[in-house]
Amino acid sequence: DPNSKKALNPKATMEWKAVSRIGLSEPNKFPEKAKARQKYHLAPLRFLQAPYETKKEKTKIKDATKMGVFSKLEYNNINQACKDSSDDDDDDELIVSATTKITQPFDNNYMNATTMNVKSAKEQCHEIWTTVCSRAVWQPMIFVYIYNLLQVGNAAWREYLKSVLHFTSTQLNALLIMAYILLYLGVITYKYFLLTWSWRTVYVLVILLNGIFSALQLCLITGYTFGLSPFVFALGDDAFGDFLEGIQFLPITIMMVHLCPSGSEGASYAMFTTVCNSAINLSVAISTVMLGIWDVSKQTLISGDLSGMMKLTILTTMMQTSAVLFIKLMPNTKDDLAHLHKASYSGSKVGGFTFLAIVLLSILYSIVVAVLNIFKPGWSGESR
């Protein structure tokens, strides 16, 4: 309504050509589209429609004004329009109506200028293949795979706690709950205290501490618990291991994010997490097979023969700690990833093929072991 005192000045609003907030917070993110941004991103439509929803949104307008996204005069016009619209709900309709008619000619141009082309499945697969052939990808991911593979646990441990130490279901569940809590605390600890540390330093620390706490299981088996009850000792031992697991989680995640190529982030990240999960599943399968090396059956443990349990604990502790031997494969920081792109053997098809073959074979082996455990229990000699 042009007769309304609070109606927008058509001449002024003709200069407001934007239909989106995109580009306000980072106007220089895509320098090659600077002209398009200047044409379509002068002011966001939502600020013409209603008052500020939060103080943060008002700050964005001011920041955008300082960075030259739109002029001070245009900012004042927007600011006044939002203040006027807060006085009367009917003004919202006037502003929406006015801005919709004025910005309509620009809608199609804006959509054409910002629509992204979605790559076909074939193109994404080719891009992923190119990615895994890069040394910056297969070298650190090989370390991640080896590290997770070597975290082989003592699969008879829970049976020992229940049959020999007579832990109740409540106590076993308490161990699980405390493990999840400390897993979360481990993630928080890395985020707030270790984020600036190099990835290698973090992993060396985690591997060595994990070896120490894993070896403490021997103390529990032999009965040396430093005056603590077996439950309290086991609670600290098991839970702290999960705390260390939480610390090493974020460095891997940060690294995998930096490895994802533009345009195929989702598929690439899913593949990297599959590498981690396949190694973990394979380590679980190996721990099941290792039960047949020594007699750690329930009857043997109840009879008091713990020699097999001792040997299995020592072996799994040595395997977990041996991951430190491969630490050189892990980059120190994200900057080292960029250097690996230019290193020798980068772009090697052999490296990419080997990487994918190991992952697929690991998944296949884990599936076979899981199926055999269900349909043919004791196939590897672990139950006698």
Side-chain angles (χ1 to χ4, degrees):
D1 183 1
N3 296 324
S4 174
K5 293 181 180 180
K6 295 181 179 179
L8 295 179
N9 184 350
K11 293 184 179 180
T13 55
M14 281 296 291
E15 299 175 2
W16 302 353
K17 302 174 183 179
V19 294
S20 172
R21 305 171 62 183
I22 298 175
L24 281 178
S25 59
E26 297 179 279
N28 298 320
K29 188 174 182 180
F30 302 101
E32 68 278 9
K33 297 182 179 180
K35 293 183 179 180
R37 181 178 297 104
Q38 185 178 6
K39 185 175 181 181
Y40 301 113
H41 291 190
L42 293 181
L45 177 60
R46 67 169 297 158
F47 289 118
L48 302 180
Q49 295 179 353
Y52 307 115
E53 293 182 0
T54 64
K55 185 180 291 185
K56 184 177 180 181
E57 291 183 346
K58 186 172 183 178
T59 303
K60 282 188 176 182
I61 284 191
K62 290 185 178 180
D63 292 343
T65 303
K66 294 176 183 178
M67 292 184 287
V69 179
F70 50 95
S71 67
K72 184 69 176 178
L73 175 61
E74 291 168 333
Y75 165 72
N76 290 335
N77 289 335
I78 297 171
N79 192 36
Q80 186 60 43
C82 293
K83 287 181 179 179
D84 292 343
S85 62
S86 65
D87 298 334
D88 190 353
D89 293 338
D90 295 336
D91 295 335
D92 291 346
E93 298 180 3
L94 295 173
I95 296 172
V96 171
S97 176
T99 53
T100 301
K101 292 180 180 179
I102 293 171
T103 58
Q104 188 173 5
F106 304 97
D107 290 352
N108 293 334
N109 292 335
Y110 172 77
M111 293 302 295
N112 292 336
T114 59
T115 299
M116 295 181 62
N117 294 325
V118 179
K119 297 180 180 180
S120 64
K122 182 178 180 180
E123 290 174 330
Q124 292 194 43
C125 289
H126 180 267
E127 194 164 272
I128 292 175
W129 168 248
T130 304
T131 300
V132 298
C133 289
S134 172
R135 185 174 179 179
V137 173
W138 57 258
Q139 177 176 314
M141 290 309 298
I142 284 178
F143 170 78
V144 171
Y145 180 88
I146 293 175
Y147 172 81
N148 287 306
L149 178 63
L150 291 176
Q151 302 310 301
V152 179
N154 187 342
W157 184 249
R158 295 294 174 185
E159 185 61 44
Y160 168 76
L161 295 179
K162 186 176 181 180
S163 300
V164 179
L165 298 182
H166 306 292
F167 280 18
T168 64
S169 299
T170 302
Q171 290 176 316
L172 293 176
N173 288 333
L175 292 176
L176 183 62
I177 293 172
M178 184 57 66
Y180 286 149
I181 293 175
L182 287 182
L183 179 67
Y184 172 75
L185 292 179
V187 174
I188 297 300
T189 299
Y190 177 83
K191 179 180 179 181
Y192 289 104
F193 301 103
L194 305 177
L195 192 60
T196 57
W197 290 28
S198 71
W199 295 339
R200 286 184 185 175
T201 303
V202 171
Y203 265 85
V204 169
L205 178 65
V206 167
I207 292 172
L208 295 181
L209 288 177
N210 182 70
I212 293 174
F213 280 90
S214 181
L216 286 177
Q217 292 180 348
L218 298 174
C219 296
L220 187 59
I221 295 174
T222 56
Y224 296 106
T225 58
F226 307 101
L228 300 174
S229 67
F231 173 70
V232 174
F233 189 86
L235 183 65
D237 186 24
D238 286 8
F240 198 82
D242 287 275
F243 175 77
L244 296 175
E245 184 178 344
I247 291 178
Q248 61 85 28
F249 171 76
L250 274 186
I252 288 182
T253 305
I254 294 172
M255 183 186 70
M256 290 192 297
V257 169
H258 284 89
L259 293 178
C260 295
S262 178
S264 302
E265 292 88 348
S268 301
Y269 189 80
M271 181 188 66
F272 296 147
T273 54
T274 300
V275 173
C276 297
N277 294 334
S278 63
I280 293 173
N281 291 333
L282 182 57
S283 69
V284 173
I286 293 175
S287 67
T288 302
V289 175
M290 289 175 60
L291 291 174
I293 300 178
W294 295 285
D295 188 1
V296 289
S297 62
K298 180 178 180 178
Q299 293 76 13
T300 302
L301 295 178
I302 294 176
S303 66
D305 184 2
L306 302 178
S307 59
M309 176 63 69
M310 290 280 292
K311 295 175 183 178
L312 187 59
T313 301
I314 294 173
L315 178 59
T316 54
T317 300
M318 293 176 61
M319 292 180 66
Q320 294 172 11
T321 310
S322 66
V324 75
L325 301 176
F326 303 93
I327 196 64
K328 286 291 186 180
L329 294 173
M330 183 71 169
N332 259 319
T333 62
K334 62 182 180 180
D335 294 331
D336 288 350
L337 291 176
H339 297 319
L340 286 176
H341 279 294
K342 303 176 182 178
S344 57
Y345 301 107
S346 185
S348 171
K349 292 183 178 180
V350 175
F353 176 80
T354 304
F355 172 77
L356 292 178
I358 291 175
V359 174
L360 294 176
L361 290 175
S362 299
I363 296 174
L364 180 61
Y365 181 79
S366 300
I367 293 175
V368 170
V369 172
V371 171
L372 288 175
N373 288 340
I374 295 173
F375 294 101
K376 193 178 179 181
W379 63 274
S380 62
E382 70 274 12
S383 299
R384 290 194 289 268

